[in-house]
Amino acid sequence: MPHLSWHDCRVDIFVVTVGLGDKIAEEWEPLRKQRFILAVSALSLIATVAFSDANAQDKTIKIGALFPMSGPGAYFGAQDKQGVELALEQVNKEGVNGYKFTIQYEDSACAPLPASQAAKRLLDQYKPDVIIGEECSDATLAIMPIIAQAKVPLLNAGSSSIKITEPGNPYTFRILPDEVMQGVDLATQAYNKLNARTAVLLYENTNSGIGNAKVFKDTFEKLGGKIIADIGFGRDVNDFTAIATRVAGAGKADVIPTYTLEGQGLKITQALAQAGVTKGGGGSAIQLGTIWLPFGFEQKAGKAAEGYVRIVQFDPTDTRPVVKNFISAFKAKFNADPTHLNAHAYDQIMLIADAVKRGAKDAQSMRDTLAATKDFQGVTGSVEFNKHNQNIKMDTIHYMRTEPDLSWTALKWN
Amino acid sequence: MSDAVAVGPAYRSSRRRLAFLFAALVIAVLPLLLTSGYWRTNLTLCAINVLLAIGLDFILGYAGQLNLGQSAFYGLGAYVSTLLITKFGVHFWAAFAAGVAFAGLAGMILSLFAVRLRGHYLAIASLGFAVIVHQILLNWISLTQGPLGIYGIPPPPAIAIPGLPPIEFSNQVALFYLVSAFALLAYLLLDQLVRSPIGEALTAVREDEISAQSLGINANAWKVFAFGVGAAVGGAAGCFYATFVGTLVPDAFFITESFTILAMVIVGGMGTLIGPVFGAILLTLLPELLRDIGDLRLVVYGLALTLVVLFMPGGLVQGWELLRRKFAGARVAGGR
């Protein structure tokens, strides 16, 4: 059998396709049939490889990510991306049910208009099977109808406004405890576990700030507690001395539920301690907080944070293997401790991978499988959705108390 | 035909008519060429921003009033029309007219107070006005919902034309045609104004207020007029914004929005109506076109703006003129 090179095959294809003169054809006659068979086999092989490549490409779950990557909320996007990258690295090692995961990020800028534009671009150009994001409630509320209209599931882990799941829509899922779950639980625990009977409300004048404070107020008053001051402020307030003085003059407050982001939160905690209101400043009031403040807040606030009781989205002292593995993998990859934003982004991808494991393969089956989620074990807690697609698992609400040495004690109230 | 005849008023007028027809044709064809929902919404956003930019240009470019309060008029138009629709059940077009009138009136009132101010002082006063309006929108929660936002704002009601299917504005193409038709109408109106004796009076006030007054031009009255018209056009953009996005939060009308609109006017070419149209289109589409480069998107965007201002202080219009002259020069040289 003569040795055939790829070059010969190419010549053969040329002969078959273009055709040569009879003389040349005669010279090639002895080998023609054999070469033809080989050429067809080679082409079939190429076609098979191409076809299987196409199949492999088909076995891809496309994830769209709408994160704020510019503007004041850019720190959300940067940390979200870290959690996503770690999770993708892990799930793509071996794939899930033969599926690999790809992602496309769009800057949704924490505001309705850019978020809407980014969502439309994702849907039109990337055609994702599932979308994760946004962080800010205003932006999430704006993109929800657009994404639902395209019948693509949206998995949210950062926006606490109750409107996102009440009434919500069939395509929007939230793994974060909503403001009612947090507010009702916080007020109940304050009343029952801390024996609080009086409270001062401090909150930023935003969708989430007002909503969270209202839920606490309603629950606390229903239980028999009294709100002795109700203080809202803009995000542009930088000096909280006047507000702390007002709190000090309002009467004896047992607890001070505070709803702000970290920057203002630090200033409020220090101002309240300086005014001698909270435990950190020699007073008796306990500052209460929800999921707004990241890990490391106490180190920045210093002694003023002593006694602060707050809900955290991610408990790094959690001893479940899934949490320990996440922390060690995150440290190995980024040489830093993970924050709640890293953890939530990681959980979003892992929940999507879990849905794929349970049979999700496109947008509609992803929606249906996500809706049927029961007891998914994430690093921030477990997940089970109610009929409004809100995670109802209370183990996502972790209570922590700040000790004098600024360490955390997990209160294990849930 | 001699050159003298070619550049005469009749020729210029027919050329302008042709340009408007061409613009209408482009508007008609664009959504048919750009079939994705994403690009169609970008087109509508371009039309809204064109309204904002030509409104500001009328105040800044023609009357010479450094107005940094355009975001306030934009927000007032949006909130007044939306609140009338959602809280009081007013018909969209009545609410639209009220939003436009309210924004125009607010512009005139601001101008009445700031009529003696010029340059930086007027800029600060108008910026202060924008801050006040933003704070009102943010803190008057019982009326505006403040930071809680207004969601689910409906599109304009369908228009029924006898013998034809109704035009539904939930359709992106129909909404684009509606907003761009208004933008074209506003452009025509402002174009007529700036080419009339009113435009000459405004330009005279802009160039030298004292000389203008010595010629019997009431500078204060014309400044108030310019503010009223420019603010009303900004208010119209606000009405369309609310119905286009379907969501209203006060931060959409924060003072930074004023600077974005100002950039559209400057990049396009202040004092020409056509310049800000292209400035608005460029500044709307550029950040979207640059999305593919990821994190560097806004860096490149900022750099592009800086380069335009550095090398073409007259904006895109100046760039176009330079190119035209260069090629015209080349043609003449080639002819020799």
Side-chain angles (χ1 to χ4, degrees), chain A residues 69-71 81 104-109 112-118 120-122 124-125 137-139 141-142 146 163 205-208 210-211 234-236, chain B residues 35-42 45 74 135 138-139 141 145-151 172 241 244-245 247-249 251-252 288-292 295 297-298:
Chain A
M69 289 180 272
S70 62
K81 269 174 118 171
Q104 180 160 321
Y105 300 101
E106 290 291 348
D107 179 10
S108 46
L113 180 59
S116 304
Q117 291 297 93
K120 283 171 187 163
R121 182 181 149 94
L122 257 187
D124 275 358
Q125 298 186 355
S137 291
D138 295 339
L141 286 162
I146 297 166
K163 292 179 205 158
N205 277 328
T206 60
N207 210 325
S208 298
I210 295 167
R235 274 192 174 168
D236 52 345
Chain B
T35 51
S36 87
Y38 165 64
W39 279 109
R40 283 176 172 174
T41 54
N42 277 332
L45 197 58
Y74 186 29
Q135 287 299 316
L138 193 66
N139 292 306
I141 293 173
Q145 298 279 338
L148 298 175
I150 303 171
Y151 299 95
Q172 287 173 351
Y241 171 90
F244 166 64
V245 181
T247 296
L248 270 190
V249 286
D251 284 353
E288 296 299 329
L289 290 169
L290 291 173
R291 273 188 188 271
D292 284 333
D295 292 344
R297 178 171 76 108
L298 295 179

Side-chain angles (χ1 to χ4, degrees), chain A residues 53 78 86 102 176 190 282 371:
Chain A
D53 270 358
L86 176 63
T102 60
L176 173 88

Side-chain angles (χ1 to χ4, degrees), chain A residues 146-190:
Chain A
I146 297 166
I147 295 171
Q149 198 180 14
K151 297 189 183 304
V152 173
L154 169 68
L155 187 55
N156 177 276
S159 310
S160 68
S161 169
I162 187 66
K163 292 179 205 158
I164 290 164
T165 46
E166 290 283 347
N169 67 46
Y171 288 87
T172 306
F173 296 82
R174 175 167 50 191
I175 58 174
L176 173 88
D178 67 33
E179 63 195 20
V180 173
M181 287 168 71
Q182 292 179 63
V184 168
D185 200 55
L186 187 69
T188 310
Q189 305 287 13

Side-chain angles (χ1 to χ4, degrees), chain B residues 165-286:
Chain B
I167 303 168
E168 301 276 356
F169 293 109
S170 52
N171 179 319
Q172 287 173 351
V173 177
L175 188 63
F176 166 68
Y177 283 148
L178 178 73
V179 182
S180 49
F182 264 87
L184 195 62
L185 269 176
Y187 186 95
L188 278 169
L189 172 78
L190 295 181
D191 186 62
Q192 289 303 315
L193 279 176
V194 298
R195 287 171 195 284
S196 70
I198 293 172
E200 284 167 11
L202 288 173
T203 312
V205 172
R206 179 189 70 193
E207 294 302 324
D208 191 337
E209 202 175 314
I210 296 167
S211 301
Q213 280 184 317
S214 72
L215 293 171
I217 295 170
N218 186 340
N220 289 352
W222 286 116
K223 280 195 234 173
V224 172
F225 172 78
F227 256 94
V229 172
V233 175
C239 299
F240 286 128
Y241 171 90
T243 192
F244 166 64
V245 181
T247 296
L248 270 190
V249 286
D251 284 353
F253 311 105
F254 192 53
I255 51 172
T256 45
E257 194 60 29
S258 283
F259 292 101
T260 308
I261 305 165
L262 182 67
M264 289 171 186
V265 174
I266 292 171
V267 166
M270 196 164 53
T272 66
L273 270 182
I274 193 68
V277 171
F278 286 103
I281 293 170
L282 181 74
L283 266 65
T284 309
L285 295 186
L286 196 58

